[in-house]
Amino acid sequence: MKYLVRDKLLAIGDDYWIEDEDGRHAFLVDGKALRLRDTLELEDPDGRVLITLRERLFGGLGLPGLRDAMTLERDGKRLAVIRRKRLSLLRNHFRVTMSEGTELDVSGRVLDREFKVEYEGELLALVSRQWYRVRETYAVDVVREEADAALMVAVAVCVIRMAEREREASGADGE
């Protein structure tokens, strides 16, 4: 199942719908404004919070520009932590450590919205702009039927946000 995400609507404080490939509302992203750290909530169409995305600050120091991870929570409990994979030859390589200890691997051209999410070498989701001609839009294609669609969308939103913040902090225009 493919989910359509519009990039330009990812600002904190903004709310926007992510639609499925048939144009139906699948998830509402609720950007929580006026918080010390960035917080987004991914809700179902009935308003139930499925996953909360929180930006963690480096070492808990709260220093601007030193964001090292994003935490995903479900029902008030940590679901996963997303970090850039430090010992990788690929610049756009992230690790998603699930609360039970398993890891998902995210790699590809994150800033170009062309990357994949894998578990032990098996493709779970593919993120791409190639399916849509609409500018500022990409799709999260959850290819494994049993994969958690809300989690795959949340991972995509988080790694893009982290890569963009890194680019802003370094002052670079490209990857």
Side-chain angles (χ1 to χ4, degrees), residues 13 36 73 78 80 85 87 92 94 99 110 113 140 166 174:
L36 179 61
E73 298 172 1
R78 183 185 302 175
K85 196 168 182 179
L87 300 175
N92 287 282
F94 292 82
S99 59
V110 174
R113 309 317 188 249
V140 178
E166 230 174 65

Side-chain angles (χ1 to χ4, degrees), residues 30-46:
D30 183 359
K32 300 295 183 183
L34 304 174
R35 302 238 174 139
L36 179 61
R37 57 187 180 171
D38 288 352
T39 302
L40 300 168
E41 290 180 343
L42 191 64
E43 301 174 1
D44 70 10
D46 296 324

Side-chain angles (χ1 to χ4, degrees), residues 127-142:
V127 176
S128 180
R129 279 193 167 146
Q130 73 182 9
W131 296 302
Y132 297 97
R133 296 187 187 268
V134 180
R135 189 167 161 75
E136 307 290 337
T137 302
Y138 64 92
V140 178
D141 185 8
V142 181

Side-chain angles (χ1 to χ4, degrees), residues 110-125:
V110 174
L111 292 173
D112 290 336
R113 309 317 188 249
E114 298 291 337
F115 59 94
K116 59 188 174 181
V117 181
E118 297 177 304
Y119 172 67
E120 293 186 348
E122 187 173 335
L123 184 65
L124 299 177

Side-chain angles (χ1 to χ4, degrees), residues 2-62:
K2 288 182 186 155
Y3 298 93
L4 181 66
V5 183
R6 289 182 173 82
D7 261 344
K8 62 184 177 181
L9 301 175
L10 286 176
I12 293 298
D14 290 345
D15 297 348
Y16 64 94
W17 283 101
I18 293 174
E19 299 172 348
D20 67 16
E21 59 193 330
D22 297 321
R24 294 182 302 250
H25 288 169
F27 304 108
L28 175 69
V29 177
D30 183 359
K32 300 295 183 183
L34 304 174
R35 302 238 174 139
L36 179 61
R37 57 187 180 171
D38 288 352
T39 302
L40 300 168
E41 290 180 343
L42 191 64
E43 301 174 1
D44 70 10
D46 296 324
R48 288 185 295 269
V49 176
L50 301 173
I51 297 180
T52 302
L53 299 72
R54 296 187 198 280
E55 185 171 42
R56 282 188 17 188
L57 302 177
F58 182 79
L61 300 175

